[in-house]
Every structure is written in C-alpha cells, then in structure tokens.
Amino acid sequence: MASKHNRIAVLGAGKMGGILLQAFLQSKLVAAADLSATVAHDERAAALSYKFGITVSTDNLAAASHADVILLGVKPQQMDALVHTIAPALKPGKLLISFAASVSTAAIEAAAGQDIAVVRAMPNTPAKLGAGITALCRGRFVSDEQLALAEKIFATVGRVVTVDEKHMDAVTGLSGSGPAFIYIILEALAEAGVNVGLPRDIATQLAAQTTYGAAKMVLETGSHPALLKDEVTTPAGCTVDGILELEEGGLRVTLIKAVKRATQRARELANP
Ligand SMILES: NC(=O)c1ccc[n+]([C@@H]2O[C@H](COP(=O)([O-])OP(=O)(O)OC[C@H]3O[C@@H](n4cnc5c(N)ncnc54)[C@H](OP(=O)(O)O)[C@@H]3O)[C@@H](O)[C@H]2O)c1
C-alpha cells in the first residue's frame, strides 16, 4: 500500500511533473528526502531543486535506481529512449507510471524489456489547483495494491477514475482537452454578459462561478444533468428561450464533435 516509505521519482518534471511534485509535498504523500526528479537541462534541475528542496538531476538512471515508484513525464516521442535508459534500474516490485498522452502500457513494457508493472495516467491541468481528474489504466503486470498506490498518488491532484486502456484516447479527448473547451464556453458567456451591459470583470465572475456551481451540482447531487437543467427551466420562462437558441446554434452537436475529433487525434498520435 501507499506509505511514506515509498521513494518516488518524477522523470521529466516539466509543467505537469512540476504540478505533481508540488502536490506530493503539500499533501505529505512523501517526504522531501524520498522524492526526486529529473529534467533535460542542468540549470532547470538546479532551479527545481531550489524551489522544492528535493534532489533534481539530469541523470535518469540514477533517479530510477533510487526509487520504488517511477513517474514518466517526458513527451510521448521521448518515452521509448527514456525507458531504455532506465531499464537496468528496473526490477520486479518497482512501479512505472506514465502520464504521457498516447503511449501504451505495452509500448513501455516492451521498451523496458521485462515483465514490469506499468500504470498509464491521464491527468488534466486543473490538477494545478487540486481540481483535476485523472484516468488510470493498468498494464499486464500491475497488482491491485500497485493500482491502489497509483490512485493514492493522483488523488493528491483531484479525482481519480480507472478505465480499460482502450478508453484512454477518449479520456484524452474529453477530460484532457476538455478544460480548453470549457474556457471557450466560459469566455463566450462572459462576452455575452458584456453584450447585455455587464462590466467585464463581473461578467467573467458570473460565468466562471456559474460553470463551477453547475459542475459541483452534477458531481455532488449525482443527479442527471438533464434533470438539473429542467429544475432551472420554468414554463414560458427566460431559460427555455435561451435553450432554444443553444439548440438552434448546435452547441450540443458541436461539443460532441469536438470531443470525437480530439479523441481521433489522440488515436492518430498513438498509431502514427
Ligand atoms: N500539460 C498537460 O496538460 C498534460 C496533461 C496530461 C498529460 N501530459 C503529458 O505530460 C507530458 C509532459 O507534458 P508537459 O506539458 O509537462 O511538457 P513539458 O513542460 O515540456 O515537460 C517535459 C519535461 O521533460 C523534460 N525532459 C525532456 N527530455 C528529458 C530527458 N531525456 N530526461 C529527463 N527529462 C527530460 C524537460 O526538461 P527541461 O525542462 O530541462 O527541458 C521538461 O521538463 C507529455 O507526455 C504530455 O503528454 C500533459
């Protein structure tokens, strides 16, 4: 099970890796002495080491040797070379967790050249505020205990769901790309507020808190979104007129197409 005795290394600590390092320390998932990271450039290693008070180097093999759980955060096209490099440090019992988009657990197992436990994770950027959602899937050699440990690790940055690996591209298209889709909706709502006479800062707050509140209602009441929508929609009222415009404008179909297209792109990147 997860314990503070697990030594964790984040190899490729860029934007997402940095968010994770911060969350691991803040949540006390692991002590600073048991956490390390790598990057490509020496000066970035020094800056990160100073910022977090942990060991950060450019030596992936050394970092992997000293860790029980190894998170892989390089770009998808760099993953194969990274896993080859650390292969001599891998042994049964160690857990690899990749959070690179589009790289399969089978590809990582093959690059490692051994029966090693590989979990694949797809977090999203609201992880920065602990409001992310991460989808996990397990490779062939992952025990229930190792999957539970991966869940505990990603719970430090928000919600966690577990899916079959075949769904990971769909997750990328929905919750990975999703924040960008929602920002556009939110920006448009704020713009609409300005259009009907509201000051921009007030319109942005109204739009953002409304988006947040509606999402919280779905998550915490467990009610179907359609039911919650019906509760806001009084007969012959204002909302139903607005909904008619949304339907005429094709918002629903457009969002469905956006997620389908992003999923398709994730699939293309996985199988170039
Ligand atoms: N950003 C997101 O929203 C998000 C969400 C889910 C998944 N991901 C996945 O997370 C991964 C990283 O994305 P990112 O946005 O965090 O990119 P990023 O900021 O560019 O981070 C990549 C990091 O990898 C380091 N690096 C490159 N080659 C290395 C090597 N050989 N050894 C060790 N470190 C190396 C870079 O070091 P330097 O800093 O020294 O250049 C950089 O810090 C990608 O695979 C992406 O698919 C990202």
Side-chain angles (χ1 to χ4, degrees):
M1 272 310 294
S3 86
K4 48 179 165 288
H5 305 300
N6 273 309
R7 293 164 304 167
I8 300 179
V10 179
L11 311 185
K15 284 187 285 296
M16 186 49 76
I19 288 171
L20 293 171
L21 288 174
Q22 176 128 7
F24 296 167
L25 291 170
Q26 260 172 11
S27 65
K28 299 196 174 10
L29 175 81
V30 66
D34 291 329
L35 183 63
S36 67
T38 65
V39 288
H41 301 93
D42 288 324
E43 62 282 6
R44 243 205 110 241
L48 266 189
S49 177
Y50 179 75
K51 180 175 175 192
F52 292 122
I54 62 170
T55 302
V56 185
S57 75
T58 56
D59 189 341
N60 291 310
L61 184 57
S65 305
H66 295 117
D68 311 300
V69 180
I70 303 161
L71 276 82
L72 307 169
V74 293
K75 297 283 188 194
Q77 61 274 20
Q78 298 167 320
M79 189 59 78
D80 199 57
L82 173 64
V83 178
H84 270 110
T85 304
I86 64 168
L90 303 179
K91 56 178 192 211
K94 289 207 182 195
L95 172 62
L96 288 178
I97 305 177
S98 160
F99 55 91
S102 305
V103 182
S104 69
T105 55
I108 294 171
E109 289 161 5
Q114 53 193 291
D115 297 354
I116 188 84
V118 182
V119 167
R120 193 173 151 194
M122 179 45 62
N124 65 359
T125 47
K128 190 169 187 173
L129 302 178
I133 183 147
T134 303
L136 300 177
C137 69
R138 64 204 288 176
R140 286 178 298 160
F141 310 109
V142 177
S143 66
D144 290 348
E145 203 178 42
Q146 286 170 319
L147 186 65
L149 174 56
E151 283 168 1
K152 178 161 183 173
I153 287 172
F154 281 92
T156 62
V157 289
R159 286 177 182 256
V160 181
V161 294
T162 301
V163 299
D164 285 342
E165 186 154 14
K166 66 177 185 218
H167 294 310
M168 286 305 270
D169 293 328
V171 166
T172 306
L174 177 52
S175 58
S177 305
F181 304 156
I182 300 296
Y183 295 137
I184 290 174
I185 291 173
L186 218 152
E187 190 193 5
L189 286 175
E191 198 66 35
V194 173
N195 195 254
V196 292
L198 291 167
R200 185 169 293 278
D201 61 330
I202 301 279
T204 304
Q205 270 193 68
L206 290 170
Q209 182 66 29
T210 300
T211 307
Y212 174 73
K216 210 168 152 69
M217 287 290 282
V218 173
L219 288 169
E220 291 183 15
T221 66
S223 297
H224 192 287
L227 195 72
L228 293 167
K229 178 207 61 181
D230 287 352
E231 282 171 10
V232 189
T233 316
T234 45
C238 320
T239 311
V240 73
D241 275 6
I243 290 173
L244 191 65
E245 288 293 332
L246 289 182
E247 298 294 10
E248 267 183 21
L251 179 77
R252 189 188 292 263
V253 172
T254 307
L255 282 172
I256 292 169
K257 282 176 156 177
V259 172
K260 279 182 83 168
R261 186 69 194 90
T263 301
Q264 197 182 322
R265 183 71 187 131
R267 213 161 276 150
E268 284 164 15
L269 291 173
N271 307 295

